[in-house]
Amino acid sequence: ETGVTQTPRHLVMGMTNKKSLKCEQHLGHNAMYWYKQSAKKPLELMFVYNFKEQTENNSVPSRFSPECPNSSHLFLHLHTLQPEDSALYLCASSWGGGDEQFFGPGTRLTVL
Amino acid sequence: SQQGEEDPQALSIQEGENATMNCSYKTSINNLQWYRQNSGRGLVHLILIRSNEREKHSGRLRVTLDTSKKSSSLLITASRAADTASYFCATRTGANNLFFGTGTRLTVIP
């Protein structure tokens, strides 16, 4: 795997639950990203953080709440999700500038 | 949309054959990247080609870029069973972010 870790790897939650996804990068990068990958759809960019500051929010519903306490850690807080939110959630990091991104293994989320 | 579109959606070949995947995009780009994803895992960066480059090689990979046609191709030579994966192109415009396509699912039969 790359130097980007994600936990948990699998998560099953009910629509009323609150859970959090965690991402950590050990590469010294300054930019971190959350993506959603659903079957037969392009990878959807959700949030971008540069030096801990959110620089992009692609019209993501408020039931997804990101948090970036430092350049190495990124969280995605989940609450009152819908079944259509079931997907693979991928975290990535980079030096910024839009060049090579390093991805974590993803969290497979199932919302019942 | 800025995202790339890969073609074909799925490709099945015998081990040892070459595999070619294509990517088309709609806006001017700064660079184009190819990534591989094994089933249910994260993406792995393969190769980056800048807008002023026309061809690039890395091991068994060859990437071409035609900015006039807004298209790119990825060639994998002498394919192996381990090359079985989904392959995505991603375009970067002037902003920092990458825009991915839906991918080509490659199956290499031993």
Side-chain angles (χ1 to χ4, degrees):
Chain A
E1 295 290 359
T2 65
V4 181
T5 58
Q6 289 187 243
T7 54
R9 295 292 305 276
H10 300 272
L11 178 62
V12 179
M13 58 187 290
M15 290 191 285
T16 58
N17 292 157
K18 288 185 180 181
K19 297 286 184 183
S20 296
L21 309 185
K22 179 183 176 182
C23 175
E24 184 173 1
Q25 59 98 357
H26 313 274
L27 301 168
H29 291 158
N30 53 272
M32 296 187 77
Y33 311 79
W34 279 119
Y35 288 91
K36 175 185 178 182
Q37 186 176 34
S38 305
K40 298 184 179 179
K41 285 186 175 181
L43 211 60
E44 299 174 48
L45 178 64
M46 301 174 72
F47 301 104
V48 181
Y49 279 83
N50 255 302
F51 292 102
K52 304 187 300 178
E53 299 298 321
Q54 187 179 127
T55 57
E56 189 94 18
N57 175 342
N58 271 349
S59 304
V60 179
S62 59
R63 58 185 183 270
F64 295 91
S65 174
E67 179 190 1
C68 189
N70 54 61
S71 293
S72 298
H73 293 85
L74 186 64
F75 296 88
L76 188 62
H77 303 299
L78 317 171
H79 63 99
T80 59
L81 295 191
Q82 305 297 312
E84 60 264 28
D85 296 323
S86 298
L88 182 67
Y89 288 85
L90 293 164
C91 173
S93 69
S94 74
W95 292 111
D99 284 348
E100 179 180 0
Q101 292 185 10
F102 292 77
F103 282 79
T107 294
R108 172 67 65 185
L109 173 67
T110 302
V111 181
L112 301 177
Chain B
S1 167
Q2 293 173 278
Q3 64 205 22
E5 291 185 14
E6 291 90 346
D7 171 64
Q9 290 189 342
L11 180 61
S12 183
I13 59 173
Q14 295 290 329
E15 199 166 31
E17 294 181 339
N18 296 340
T20 300
M21 289 158 268
N22 303 296
C23 171
S24 60
Y25 57 92
K26 296 181 179 176
T27 63
S28 297
I29 61 171
N30 184 293
N31 66 55
L32 185 144
Q33 303 174 36
W34 285 91
Y35 287 79
R36 185 188 73 217
Q37 182 180 36
N38 289 89
S39 182
R41 309 299 296 273
L43 280 71
V44 176
H45 182 265
L46 294 176
I47 196 166
L48 179 155
I49 187 166
R50 301 194 185 279
S51 60
N52 61 352
E53 298 176 308
R54 292 297 167 257
E55 188 170 315
K56 205 160 184 181
H57 296 254
S58 176
R60 293 185 295 113
L61 305 180
R62 173 178 168 250
V63 170
T64 60
L65 179 65
D66 186 335
T67 52
S68 66
K69 296 181 179 179
K70 292 187 170 58
S71 68
S72 172
S73 67
L74 171 67
L75 169 67
I76 304 174
T77 60
S79 62
R80 305 166 182 169
D83 295 328
T84 294
S86 292
Y87 292 81
F88 296 85
C89 68
T91 54
R92 180 201 167 195
T93 60
N96 285 345
N97 304 328
L98 294 179
F99 295 90
F100 289 82
T102 52
T104 292
R105 175 71 189 165
L106 173 66
T107 302
V108 180
I109 303 166

